[in-house]
Amino acid sequence: MDPQEGAGPYQYQGSDFRPQQANAEVSKRTATPQQHYGQGSSATPQPHRSHSPGPATAPQRAGRYKPSEFKHNLRVACALAPCLLVLAGAGGEGVLGVLVVGLMVSYLLDVLRVREGTLFMIWGTLLAVNFGLVVSGAFFQSGRPWYIGVGLLLLSGQAYFVAGAWATLQFKWVQLQYPGVTLAFEKLVFAATPLVCTCVLTWTIVGLFGIGNASYYMFVIAAALHFSFTLPNASSFIEIQATVAGAASASAHAALSADEATVILGTPEVLLHTTALLFLPAGLHFVVHWNQIIFLSNWDEIWGFLLLLSFPSLYLCLTSFRGSLSFLKLPPSALAIFRTYVATASLMLVLACVEVRVIFHSFTQYIPLLAPWNYILVTIALYGIFLPLTVHYMNRSTDDEGYAIDPLGEMFASLCLLGSAGAGSLAIGAPLYIAPLPLCAAAALVQYYYSYMLRDYLIFFVMQALASGWFIFYHLYFLDIHFGDLSLKDICHLLYVTLLVTMAAPGFIMSGEWPSFSSSLVIMQAILVRVVEEHLYAAATHEEGLYPPYLVVFTSLLGSLMAHRLMKDESITFFTYFLVQCIWGSKPAMLFLPSGSQASWQLFLLTVSITPPLFFFRDEQGRSDLDWSFGQCLVAFILFAVFRARNLLFDGYVMATGSLPSDSHILGVLVTTIGVALMPLATYHFPSVQYAKQRCVLLIAAGALLVLLKPPLPQWWDWIWDDEHTPISEYSDALGYRGEYAAKSAWSAWMLMGATLVGLAATTSAIPVYKYPGLRMIFSGTLGFSVGAYICQEFLPFTKVSTLLNLLVGTATTCASVFVTFILRPSASSSTWLPLVFVLYLAALPAGFFLLSTSGDHARGFQRRLKEAGTVLLAVYTCAGTLMAFCVKIRITSMLRLSKEHRSSERSLAARYRPRQLQALTPTSHPFSVKGLSMEGQWIPWSGNIAGLAAFVCANVLQARIGDSEYHFGAIMTSPILLLLNHEAVMLKGFGQAHRYFPIALSICVILVLSAMHSLLFNEQHARMTVGYVLKNLLSLFLPLPNHVMFIYLLWHTSRQSMLLLACVTPLNMPALLLTDLPQVRVLAGTAIAIALVQFIVSRNIRVSVEKFL
């Protein structure tokens, strides 16, 4: 639509778009910024009262809606994509196939610029996937309570609805025409994603590792999602114009990370997310271990429950600087005090839980003292370390808000650290010649805290290195234990080097000397910690409790957060930050995949190869400066990384599906991974090279086709797999390619796959066949023939007429493919011969059924095969007819849109030129008008109507064949095919866009009536066929019909009807519901009551309201 028209609930002001309805909502959200950021928001620094002469004037803000690109796609994709794949994988290959095919068709429609069709196809795909999960019964397995299955089903529906809302935000025309829907969907995505993804991912972890420790993983997932979605995020569609009175106020508000008026979530959503974070993990832990907690039979679980209660509050206090506590609406001084003391109390409880749950649970053998001295000394050691840290945090947090308190001084810090060092030395049983070392290290550390001199830190480093070396070599070095290829002595060497690097890194970073050496230490620390953990966790699989999995997750999160902090302080370079994040991010793969450390390093290599185009190779203006030759080297590196990660992808497939992959499946996964890995490079650095993105799409499509079609593969590629990662071969080389396996052949699947890829390449203009009609004919005919050959080879049973039937099916699919191709991209002469192609397509169906009816063999097995052949023939015509009708609908819609643009250009010419000049500029005939359409021939809409009606009839007959013939409810599912009907002067002369829902209502009513009559007169048992029984059900059948007739009349004429008459006939449906024995009549009566309510609701403004409601 023309943005300058100003029609509807939106208008343009200058160069910006300002919808009236959306601005009303935005003004409510932006009138008082404290609605989203309370007065006590930590992200809103305010000066101390004694430092300011008077109260600063608040800025005046006006929110303005502005369509733009959705800026949060990366975080939403990282959260939703794993959940959607897990839910689709639970339904099996059928559900995954529906998802893949739907996304491919959506991409094709997007390439063809069918905007509404693309959005409709995306929502239809998500609905079909969810329906497939319901039909497959994946959530109602044996042994699982029914309420859990219902909960998983509701969770799946919510996840796919959120995915549909996220996909809707990507369409600019939705943002332009429906600003209220855009803002609502953006808020829905941010409000629902944390809750839905937390539940889905926790359910996945329960299935992989059991429910014992699932609460800890749930907290990690919930905290990560809370950090990404709940903390204030600026809306992508709201612009704020601020007029700030006063320089002090302007500088204060310029420091905000996200403007208060643009935040997406409000106080209720933030409060809901915070409540879920505080109580869901602890609640899950209590539900799982409630008997041990209530009866005090297992203190480990009790302390674990307390840990899950205290850690979320500590997390909220630490993230309060980013607005996590803004919903409290406290002033800055009160918020600073609240944050400080809640964090202190939470930290004290966390330390107590860690002391009992971790130290005395796993490291008791290293504490030789007896109770209660061991508990006393370990407590003094822990609290002596963290008490100065708490004081430091109190000073920093209150000082940032302008309410600084006096520090407790160097003496207090020295006493705490010296006492902690002495208590720790006594607790581990250090001899007298070792005990002074921790004390000297503590004193040097206190001195370094106040001086920041590298000399003091080197003294601390040397003293602590000597003490740590004694502990490792005294307690572990003498043991003769092997962890795979390494002995315990080798592990001790690695552990000691890791400790030295870990202790050296903070001093060099904080002192600011030798920044390159500091970055090298950070990278070395990440690599060494990863290597040590890999060997310890691998040994823990044989000895339980040696190295628990949660420590792997904890060290990964801690390392990632520390690297983020160092990058924010500019202590390390961005390259170092990127490399370290890849190391820490790929480390948890050892927990999920059986290959362990090998899988984690393969994931690291894959991450390092894929992500550089997202963060590097850009100039100061953000434009790509990647050289073409270096881009080719990066492509080669990605291919090498995917090849090296083949075992990782193999294990991931096994973990997702629970079964070994076939050779075609794993090859499809590899090819799809290559396409996805190359997509960032093609999108961000070669956007002008159109074929780069097209080839990525072709690779993804090829991988999906390999997974769906499962063509047999030759055995020459088996050398790339080891004994533990060997896929299942579908067919051997000899059986599949030398004709020794006559029942199924590999060539039909490969032909279909190749033809589909060629057709996709031609559709996306990767192959310029649109310039040459002859090439279009060859490609479309080959594609249709390949589809027909595959259907005949895979689905048609062997009969006496198999050859002729295969020829008819191949002819039908070839004609359908040619018809679709030249309808969308016509040639100069296609209007002369394309109707003949359509007639040939129509003639194949009766010819096929004539062959089946005249076969002459009445044996039971042969008749069964004939029925299967007829079913396949009906399925082919249903799919092909629906596709042809849909393409005709696209063609006619595009022609009418071009006609509208042509008329608007005529109006603009009439405004600029005189009548004589306009007559010279305007052509005599309009090629895209209704008259031009008539000149070309009415066969285009006529053919679309014939194909749609034939597909509808075949779909209902097919449902009667494969389903229960007594219940013909297929009309309700297949009736949307009738939306593809078009206006034409032969069959549907008075049919128009306003009557598009008339055929649906009429077909549902007629087919349900005929189905009820058939069930009553032919399928009921003879013992029940009394006169009273028949009359009762006939009366029940005719009672709902008046409502249906009135509704059908309304859909055709859209005129006001008598509400008195509607009120009189609607109660007749209740006796029909109560008296009838036929389910079809119950459906008729129920729909009659529903449509009566619709008519009552829209009775005031019938012409406008009916169409809006429908």
Side-chain angles (χ1 to χ4, degrees), residues 819 823 838 888-889 891-892 895 933 937-948 980-988:
F819 182 86
I823 278 291
F838 181 74
V888 169
K889 190 74 172 180
R891 171 75 184 281
I892 293 178
M895 293 172 71
L933 184 61
Q938 285 288 336
W939 65 270
I940 294 181
W942 178 82
S943 61
N945 292 340
I946 292 293
L980 302 176
L981 296 179
N982 306 284
H983 167 73
E984 42 94 6
V986 181
M987 296 186 304
L988 302 176

PDB file of all heavy atoms in Angstrom, residues 819 823 838 888-889 891-892 895 933 937-948 980-988:
ATOM      1  N   PHE A 819       2.212 -27.133 -16.145  1.00  0.00           N
ATOM      2  CA  PHE A 819       1.149 -26.150 -15.948  1.00  0.00           C
ATOM      3  C   PHE A 819       1.531 -25.137 -14.865  1.00  0.00           C
ATOM      4  O   PHE A 819       1.366 -23.922 -15.049  1.00  0.00           O
ATOM      5  CB  PHE A 819      -0.140 -26.885 -15.570  1.00  0.00           C
ATOM      6  CG  PHE A 819      -1.329 -25.989 -15.382  1.00  0.00           C
ATOM      7  CD1 PHE A 819      -2.106 -25.611 -16.447  1.00  0.00           C
ATOM      8  CD2 PHE A 819      -1.658 -25.518 -14.122  1.00  0.00           C
ATOM      9  CE1 PHE A 819      -3.203 -24.770 -16.279  1.00  0.00           C
ATOM     10  CE2 PHE A 819      -2.742 -24.676 -13.934  1.00  0.00           C
ATOM     11  CZ  PHE A 819      -3.514 -24.301 -15.025  1.00  0.00           C
ATOM     12  N   ILE A 823       2.146 -21.181 -15.635  1.00  0.00           N
ATOM     13  CA  ILE A 823       1.169 -20.276 -15.042  1.00  0.00           C
ATOM     14  C   ILE A 823       1.889 -19.160 -14.278  1.00  0.00           C
ATOM     15  O   ILE A 823       1.522 -17.983 -14.347  1.00  0.00           O
ATOM     16  CB  ILE A 823       0.204 -21.037 -14.123  1.00  0.00           C
ATOM     17  CG1 ILE A 823      -0.901 -21.674 -14.945  1.00  0.00           C
ATOM     18  CG2 ILE A 823      -0.405 -20.142 -13.066  1.00  0.00           C
ATOM     19  CD1 ILE A 823      -1.873 -20.690 -15.572  1.00  0.00           C
ATOM     20  N   PHE A 838      -3.632 -28.884 -19.573  1.00  0.00           N
ATOM     21  CA  PHE A 838      -4.561 -29.051 -18.447  1.00  0.00           C
ATOM     22  C   PHE A 838      -5.615 -30.112 -18.772  1.00  0.00           C
ATOM     23  O   PHE A 838      -5.984 -30.920 -17.893  1.00  0.00           O
ATOM     24  CB  PHE A 838      -5.221 -27.709 -18.133  1.00  0.00           C
ATOM     25  CG  PHE A 838      -6.168 -27.756 -16.979  1.00  0.00           C
ATOM     26  CD1 PHE A 838      -5.690 -27.843 -15.676  1.00  0.00           C
ATOM     27  CD2 PHE A 838      -7.535 -27.730 -17.184  1.00  0.00           C
ATOM     28  CE1 PHE A 838      -6.563 -27.900 -14.604  1.00  0.00           C
ATOM     29  CE2 PHE A 838      -8.419 -27.778 -16.120  1.00  0.00           C
ATOM     30  CZ  PHE A 838      -7.932 -27.858 -14.826  1.00  0.00           C
ATOM     31  N   VAL A 888      -2.706 -20.840  -9.660  1.00  0.00           N
ATOM     32  CA  VAL A 888      -3.623 -19.993 -10.414  1.00  0.00           C
ATOM     33  C   VAL A 888      -4.092 -18.825  -9.546  1.00  0.00           C
ATOM     34  O   VAL A 888      -4.213 -17.683 -10.017  1.00  0.00           O
ATOM     35  CB  VAL A 888      -4.813 -20.832 -10.921  1.00  0.00           C
ATOM     36  CG1 VAL A 888      -5.912 -19.931 -11.475  1.00  0.00           C
ATOM     37  CG2 VAL A 888      -4.352 -21.803 -11.988  1.00  0.00           C
ATOM     38  N   LYS A 889      -4.360 -19.093  -8.272  1.00  0.00           N
ATOM     39  CA  LYS A 889      -4.761 -18.026  -7.363  1.00  0.00           C
ATOM     40  C   LYS A 889      -3.660 -16.973  -7.251  1.00  0.00           C
ATOM     41  O   LYS A 889      -3.939 -15.759  -7.250  1.00  0.00           O
ATOM     42  CB  LYS A 889      -5.062 -18.627  -5.990  1.00  0.00           C
ATOM     43  CG  LYS A 889      -5.721 -17.664  -5.019  1.00  0.00           C
ATOM     44  CD  LYS A 889      -7.171 -17.424  -5.390  1.00  0.00           C
ATOM     45  CE  LYS A 889      -7.882 -16.628  -4.327  1.00  0.00           C
ATOM     46  NZ  LYS A 889      -9.296 -16.374  -4.671  1.00  0.00           N
ATOM     47  N   ARG A 891      -1.396 -16.302  -9.526  1.00  0.00           N
ATOM     48  CA  ARG A 891      -1.309 -15.592 -10.805  1.00  0.00           C
ATOM     49  C   ARG A 891      -2.398 -14.534 -10.914  1.00  0.00           C
ATOM     50  O   ARG A 891      -2.130 -13.367 -11.276  1.00  0.00           O
ATOM     51  CB  ARG A 891      -1.432 -16.600 -11.943  1.00  0.00           C
ATOM     52  CG  ARG A 891      -1.579 -15.987 -13.321  1.00  0.00           C
ATOM     53  CD  ARG A 891      -0.281 -15.418 -13.835  1.00  0.00           C
ATOM     54  NE  ARG A 891      -0.457 -14.752 -15.112  1.00  0.00           N
ATOM     55  CZ  ARG A 891      -0.547 -15.378 -16.291  1.00  0.00           C
ATOM     56  NH1 ARG A 891      -0.473 -16.698 -16.337  1.00  0.00           N
ATOM     57  NH2 ARG A 891      -0.674 -14.691 -17.399  1.00  0.00           N
ATOM     58  N   ILE A 892      -3.616 -14.881 -10.575  1.00  0.00           N
ATOM     59  CA  ILE A 892      -4.716 -13.930 -10.703  1.00  0.00           C
ATOM     60  C   ILE A 892      -4.557 -12.787  -9.706  1.00  0.00           C
ATOM     61  O   ILE A 892      -4.813 -11.615 -10.030  1.00  0.00           O
ATOM     62  CB  ILE A 892      -6.056 -14.660 -10.510  1.00  0.00           C
ATOM     63  CG1 ILE A 892      -6.279 -15.628 -11.680  1.00  0.00           C
ATOM     64  CG2 ILE A 892      -7.206 -13.680 -10.400  1.00  0.00           C
ATOM     65  CD1 ILE A 892      -7.538 -16.435 -11.578  1.00  0.00           C
ATOM     66  N   MET A 895      -1.984 -10.427 -11.061  1.00  0.00           N
ATOM     67  CA  MET A 895      -2.510  -9.659 -12.191  1.00  0.00           C
ATOM     68  C   MET A 895      -3.430  -8.539 -11.720  1.00  0.00           C
ATOM     69  O   MET A 895      -3.378  -7.407 -12.224  1.00  0.00           O
ATOM     70  CB  MET A 895      -3.256 -10.596 -13.145  1.00  0.00           C
ATOM     71  CG  MET A 895      -2.349 -11.605 -13.852  1.00  0.00           C
ATOM     72  SD  MET A 895      -3.273 -12.825 -14.784  1.00  0.00           S
ATOM     73  CE  MET A 895      -3.873 -11.816 -16.109  1.00  0.00           C
ATOM     74  N   LEU A 933      -7.648  -9.652 -19.216  1.00  0.00           N
ATOM     75  CA  LEU A 933      -7.759 -11.051 -18.798  1.00  0.00           C
ATOM     76  C   LEU A 933      -8.744 -11.801 -19.695  1.00  0.00           C
ATOM     77  O   LEU A 933      -8.521 -12.959 -20.045  1.00  0.00           O
ATOM     78  CB  LEU A 933      -8.204 -11.117 -17.341  1.00  0.00           C
ATOM     79  CG  LEU A 933      -8.289 -12.510 -16.703  1.00  0.00           C
ATOM     80  CD1 LEU A 933      -6.935 -13.174 -16.702  1.00  0.00           C
ATOM     81  CD2 LEU A 933      -8.826 -12.409 -15.289  1.00  0.00           C
ATOM     82  N   GLY A 937      -8.181 -14.925 -22.199  1.00  0.00           N
ATOM     83  CA  GLY A 937      -9.025 -16.104 -22.094  1.00  0.00           C
ATOM     84  C   GLY A 937      -9.405 -16.358 -20.664  1.00  0.00           C
ATOM     85  O   GLY A 937      -8.591 -16.194 -19.748  1.00  0.00           O
ATOM     86  N   GLN A 938     -10.646 -16.764 -20.473  1.00  0.00           N
ATOM     87  CA  GLN A 938     -11.119 -17.112 -19.142  1.00  0.00           C
ATOM     88  C   GLN A 938     -10.675 -18.502 -18.713  1.00  0.00           C
ATOM     89  O   GLN A 938     -11.099 -18.967 -17.666  1.00  0.00           O
ATOM     90  CB  GLN A 938     -12.651 -17.025 -19.118  1.00  0.00           C
ATOM     91  CG  GLN A 938     -13.206 -15.616 -19.082  1.00  0.00           C
ATOM     92  CD  GLN A 938     -12.985 -14.966 -17.740  1.00  0.00           C
ATOM     93  OE1 GLN A 938     -12.830 -15.646 -16.737  1.00  0.00           O
ATOM     94  NE2 GLN A 938     -12.960 -13.642 -17.727  1.00  0.00           N
ATOM     95  N   TRP A 939      -9.825 -19.148 -19.487  1.00  0.00           N
ATOM     96  CA  TRP A 939      -9.415 -20.508 -19.138  1.00  0.00           C
ATOM     97  C   TRP A 939      -8.518 -20.533 -17.896  1.00  0.00           C
ATOM     98  O   TRP A 939      -8.434 -21.571 -17.234  1.00  0.00           O
ATOM     99  CB  TRP A 939      -8.681 -21.151 -20.313  1.00  0.00           C
ATOM    100  CG  TRP A 939      -7.381 -20.493 -20.654  1.00  0.00           C
ATOM    101  CD1 TRP A 939      -7.179 -19.472 -21.521  1.00  0.00           C
ATOM    102  CD2 TRP A 939      -6.100 -20.824 -20.108  1.00  0.00           C
ATOM    103  NE1 TRP A 939      -5.864 -19.112 -21.559  1.00  0.00           N
ATOM    104  CE2 TRP A 939      -5.168 -19.938 -20.697  1.00  0.00           C
ATOM    105  CE3 TRP A 939      -5.640 -21.760 -19.189  1.00  0.00           C
ATOM    106  CZ2 TRP A 939      -3.820 -19.974 -20.399  1.00  0.00           C
ATOM    107  CZ3 TRP A 939      -4.293 -21.804 -18.895  1.00  0.00           C
ATOM    108  CH2 TRP A 939      -3.397 -20.919 -19.489  1.00  0.00           C
ATOM    109  N   ILE A 940      -7.857 -19.428 -17.559  1.00  0.00           N
ATOM    110  CA  ILE A 940      -6.975 -19.440 -16.385  1.00  0.00           C
ATOM    111  C   ILE A 940      -7.785 -19.587 -15.096  1.00  0.00           C
ATOM    112  O   ILE A 940      -7.563 -20.529 -14.326  1.00  0.00           O
ATOM    113  CB  ILE A 940      -6.084 -18.189 -16.375  1.00  0.00           C
ATOM    114  CG1 ILE A 940      -5.109 -18.206 -17.548  1.00  0.00           C
ATOM    115  CG2 ILE A 940      -5.306 -18.106 -15.057  1.00  0.00           C
ATOM    116  CD1 ILE A 940      -4.176 -17.021 -17.587  1.00  0.00           C
ATOM    117  N   PRO A 941      -8.747 -18.687 -14.784  1.00  0.00           N
ATOM    118  CA  PRO A 941      -9.546 -18.937 -13.577  1.00  0.00           C
ATOM    119  C   PRO A 941     -10.396 -20.191 -13.679  1.00  0.00           C
ATOM    120  O   PRO A 941     -10.635 -20.866 -12.674  1.00  0.00           O
ATOM    121  CB  PRO A 941     -10.400 -17.669 -13.457  1.00  0.00           C
ATOM    122  CG  PRO A 941     -10.416 -17.065 -14.808  1.00  0.00           C
ATOM    123  CD  PRO A 941      -9.114 -17.410 -15.433  1.00  0.00           C
ATOM    124  N   TRP A 942     -10.850 -20.505 -14.890  1.00  0.00           N
ATOM    125  CA  TRP A 942     -11.634 -21.732 -15.070  1.00  0.00           C
ATOM    126  C   TRP A 942     -10.814 -22.970 -14.725  1.00  0.00           C
ATOM    127  O   TRP A 942     -11.280 -23.881 -14.045  1.00  0.00           O
ATOM    128  CB  TRP A 942     -12.132 -21.792 -16.518  1.00  0.00           C
ATOM    129  CG  TRP A 942     -12.904 -23.046 -16.837  1.00  0.00           C
ATOM    130  CD1 TRP A 942     -14.207 -23.305 -16.592  1.00  0.00           C
ATOM    131  CD2 TRP A 942     -12.368 -24.220 -17.469  1.00  0.00           C
ATOM    132  NE1 TRP A 942     -14.546 -24.563 -17.027  1.00  0.00           N
ATOM    133  CE2 TRP A 942     -13.429 -25.150 -17.577  1.00  0.00           C
ATOM    134  CE3 TRP A 942     -11.112 -24.573 -17.965  1.00  0.00           C
ATOM    135  CZ2 TRP A 942     -13.267 -26.407 -18.143  1.00  0.00           C
ATOM    136  CZ3 TRP A 942     -10.949 -25.822 -18.532  1.00  0.00           C
ATOM    137  CH2 TRP A 942     -12.013 -26.731 -18.616  1.00  0.00           C
ATOM    138  N   SER A 943      -9.582 -23.017 -15.190  1.00  0.00           N
ATOM    139  CA  SER A 943      -8.721 -24.166 -14.888  1.00  0.00           C
ATOM    140  C   SER A 943      -8.416 -24.240 -13.392  1.00  0.00           C
ATOM    141  O   SER A 943      -8.370 -25.338 -12.807  1.00  0.00           O
ATOM    142  CB  SER A 943      -7.426 -24.067 -15.692  1.00  0.00           C
ATOM    143  OG  SER A 943      -6.709 -22.886 -15.340  1.00  0.00           O
ATOM    144  N   GLY A 944      -8.209 -23.074 -12.750  1.00  0.00           N
ATOM    145  CA  GLY A 944      -7.982 -23.105 -11.305  1.00  0.00           C
ATOM    146  C   GLY A 944      -9.181 -23.624 -10.543  1.00  0.00           C
ATOM    147  O   GLY A 944      -9.044 -24.398  -9.584  1.00  0.00           O
ATOM    148  N   ASN A 945     -10.397 -23.228 -10.972  1.00  0.00           N
ATOM    149  CA  ASN A 945     -11.603 -23.721 -10.307  1.00  0.00           C
ATOM    150  C   ASN A 945     -11.785 -25.223 -10.522  1.00  0.00           C
ATOM    151  O   ASN A 945     -12.142 -25.954  -9.588  1.00  0.00           O
ATOM    152  CB  ASN A 945     -12.824 -22.960 -10.815  1.00  0.00           C
ATOM    153  CG  ASN A 945     -12.809 -21.508 -10.379  1.00  0.00           C
ATOM    154  OD1 ASN A 945     -12.122 -21.153  -9.421  1.00  0.00           O
ATOM    155  ND2 ASN A 945     -13.542 -20.661 -11.081  1.00  0.00           N
ATOM    156  N   ILE A 946     -11.561 -25.682 -11.751  1.00  0.00           N
ATOM    157  CA  ILE A 946     -11.694 -27.120 -12.029  1.00  0.00           C
ATOM    158  C   ILE A 946     -10.683 -27.912 -11.208  1.00  0.00           C
ATOM    159  O   ILE A 946     -11.004 -28.945 -10.608  1.00  0.00           O
ATOM    160  CB  ILE A 946     -11.505 -27.383 -13.529  1.00  0.00           C
ATOM    161  CG1 ILE A 946     -12.684 -26.795 -14.311  1.00  0.00           C
ATOM    162  CG2 ILE A 946     -11.384 -28.880 -13.799  1.00  0.00           C
ATOM    163  CD1 ILE A 946     -13.996 -27.485 -14.044  1.00  0.00           C
ATOM    164  N   ALA A 947      -9.435 -27.438 -11.155  1.00  0.00           N
ATOM    165  CA  ALA A 947      -8.412 -28.159 -10.382  1.00  0.00           C
ATOM    166  C   ALA A 947      -8.738 -28.158  -8.895  1.00  0.00           C
ATOM    167  O   ALA A 947      -8.584 -29.185  -8.216  1.00  0.00           O
ATOM    168  CB  ALA A 947      -7.043 -27.504 -10.621  1.00  0.00           C
ATOM    169  N   GLY A 948      -9.218 -27.014  -8.365  1.00  0.00           N
ATOM    170  CA  GLY A 948      -9.575 -26.971  -6.951  1.00  0.00           C
ATOM    171  C   GLY A 948     -10.745 -27.861  -6.608  1.00  0.00           C
ATOM    172  O   GLY A 948     -10.723 -28.587  -5.601  1.00  0.00           O
ATOM    173  N   LEU A 980      -9.526 -21.480  -2.761  1.00  0.00           N
ATOM    174  CA  LEU A 980      -8.749 -21.221  -3.967  1.00  0.00           C
ATOM    175  C   LEU A 980      -9.619 -20.957  -5.181  1.00  0.00           C
ATOM    176  O   LEU A 980      -9.089 -20.771  -6.282  1.00  0.00           O
ATOM    177  CB  LEU A 980      -7.818 -22.411  -4.246  1.00  0.00           C
ATOM    178  CG  LEU A 980      -6.835 -22.766  -3.130  1.00  0.00           C
ATOM    179  CD1 LEU A 980      -6.054 -24.015  -3.482  1.00  0.00           C
ATOM    180  CD2 LEU A 980      -5.892 -21.607  -2.859  1.00  0.00           C
ATOM    181  N   LEU A 981     -10.948 -20.959  -5.040  1.00  0.00           N
ATOM    182  CA  LEU A 981     -11.831 -20.696  -6.170  1.00  0.00           C
ATOM    183  C   LEU A 981     -11.735 -19.227  -6.585  1.00  0.00           C
ATOM    184  O   LEU A 981     -11.493 -18.336  -5.770  1.00  0.00           O
ATOM    185  CB  LEU A 981     -13.274 -21.046  -5.805  1.00  0.00           C
ATOM    186  CG  LEU A 981     -13.551 -22.530  -5.487  1.00  0.00           C
ATOM    187  CD1 LEU A 981     -15.000 -22.723  -5.111  1.00  0.00           C
ATOM    188  CD2 LEU A 981     -13.161 -23.419  -6.661  1.00  0.00           C
ATOM    189  N   ASN A 982     -11.947 -18.982  -7.883  1.00  0.00           N
ATOM    190  CA  ASN A 982     -11.814 -17.652  -8.455  1.00  0.00           C
ATOM    191  C   ASN A 982     -13.090 -17.265  -9.204  1.00  0.00           C
ATOM    192  O   ASN A 982     -13.903 -18.112  -9.569  1.00  0.00           O
ATOM    193  CB  ASN A 982     -10.627 -17.591  -9.436  1.00  0.00           C
ATOM    194  CG  ASN A 982      -9.336 -18.068  -8.812  1.00  0.00           C
ATOM    195  OD1 ASN A 982      -8.727 -17.372  -8.032  1.00  0.00           O
ATOM    196  ND2 ASN A 982      -8.924 -19.290  -9.162  1.00  0.00           N
ATOM    197  N   HIS A 983     -13.229 -15.982  -9.420  1.00  0.00           N
ATOM    198  CA  HIS A 983     -14.346 -15.486 -10.224  1.00  0.00           C
ATOM    199  C   HIS A 983     -14.064 -15.735 -11.695  1.00  0.00           C
ATOM    200  O   HIS A 983     -12.992 -15.414 -12.212  1.00  0.00           O
ATOM    201  CB  HIS A 983     -14.538 -13.992  -9.978  1.00  0.00           C
ATOM    202  CG  HIS A 983     -15.455 -13.344 -10.973  1.00  0.00           C
ATOM    203  ND1 HIS A 983     -16.811 -13.540 -10.961  1.00  0.00           N
ATOM    204  CD2 HIS A 983     -15.197 -12.514 -12.025  1.00  0.00           C
ATOM    205  CE1 HIS A 983     -17.370 -12.867 -11.956  1.00  0.00           C
ATOM    206  NE2 HIS A 983     -16.406 -12.226 -12.610  1.00  0.00           N
ATOM    207  N   GLU A 984     -15.041 -16.319 -12.402  1.00  0.00           N
ATOM    208  CA  GLU A 984     -14.952 -16.481 -13.846  1.00  0.00           C
ATOM    209  C   GLU A 984     -16.365 -16.565 -14.407  1.00  0.00           C
ATOM    210  O   GLU A 984     -17.328 -16.794 -13.680  1.00  0.00           O
ATOM    211  CB  GLU A 984     -14.114 -17.718 -14.212  1.00  0.00           C
ATOM    212  CG  GLU A 984     -14.366 -18.943 -13.375  1.00  0.00           C
ATOM    213  CD  GLU A 984     -15.397 -19.866 -14.004  1.00  0.00           C
ATOM    214  OE1 GLU A 984     -15.799 -19.574 -15.141  1.00  0.00           O
ATOM    215  OE2 GLU A 984     -15.788 -20.825 -13.357  1.00  0.00           O
ATOM    216  N   ALA A 985     -16.491 -16.378 -15.717  1.00  0.00           N
ATOM    217  CA  ALA A 985     -17.791 -16.177 -16.355  1.00  0.00           C
ATOM    218  C   ALA A 985     -18.454 -17.466 -16.811  1.00  0.00           C
ATOM    219  O   ALA A 985     -19.508 -17.417 -17.440  1.00  0.00           O
ATOM    220  CB  ALA A 985     -17.636 -15.242 -17.555  1.00  0.00           C
ATOM    221  N   VAL A 986     -17.877 -18.625 -16.512  1.00  0.00           N
ATOM    222  CA  VAL A 986     -18.443 -19.885 -16.995  1.00  0.00           C
ATOM    223  C   VAL A 986     -19.229 -20.582 -15.896  1.00  0.00           C
ATOM    224  O   VAL A 986     -20.454 -20.770 -15.983  1.00  0.00           O
ATOM    225  CB  VAL A 986     -17.337 -20.800 -17.534  1.00  0.00           C
ATOM    226  CG1 VAL A 986     -17.928 -22.103 -18.058  1.00  0.00           C
ATOM    227  CG2 VAL A 986     -16.579 -20.096 -18.654  1.00  0.00           C
ATOM    228  N   MET A 987     -18.540 -20.977 -14.802  1.00  0.00           N
ATOM    229  CA  MET A 987     -19.206 -21.715 -13.729  1.00  0.00           C
ATOM    230  C   MET A 987     -19.586 -20.824 -12.558  1.00  0.00           C
ATOM    231  O   MET A 987     -20.660 -20.988 -11.985  1.00  0.00           O
ATOM    232  CB  MET A 987     -18.283 -22.846 -13.235  1.00  0.00           C
ATOM    233  CG  MET A 987     -17.983 -23.912 -14.263  1.00  0.00           C
ATOM    234  SD  MET A 987     -17.037 -25.265 -13.542  1.00  0.00           S
ATOM    235  CE  MET A 987     -15.632 -24.395 -12.897  1.00  0.00           C
ATOM    236  N   LEU A 988     -18.724 -19.902 -12.165  1.00  0.00           N
ATOM    237  CA  LEU A 988     -18.940 -19.078 -10.975  1.00  0.00           C
ATOM    238  C   LEU A 988     -19.013 -17.616 -11.402  1.00  0.00           C
ATOM    239  O   LEU A 988     -18.138 -16.805 -11.079  1.00  0.00           O
ATOM    240  CB  LEU A 988     -17.807 -19.310  -9.959  1.00  0.00           C
ATOM    241  CG  LEU A 988     -17.625 -20.747  -9.483  1.00  0.00           C
ATOM    242  CD1 LEU A 988     -16.418 -20.841  -8.572  1.00  0.00           C
ATOM    243  CD2 LEU A 988     -18.866 -21.241  -8.765  1.00  0.00           C
TER     244      LEU A 988
END
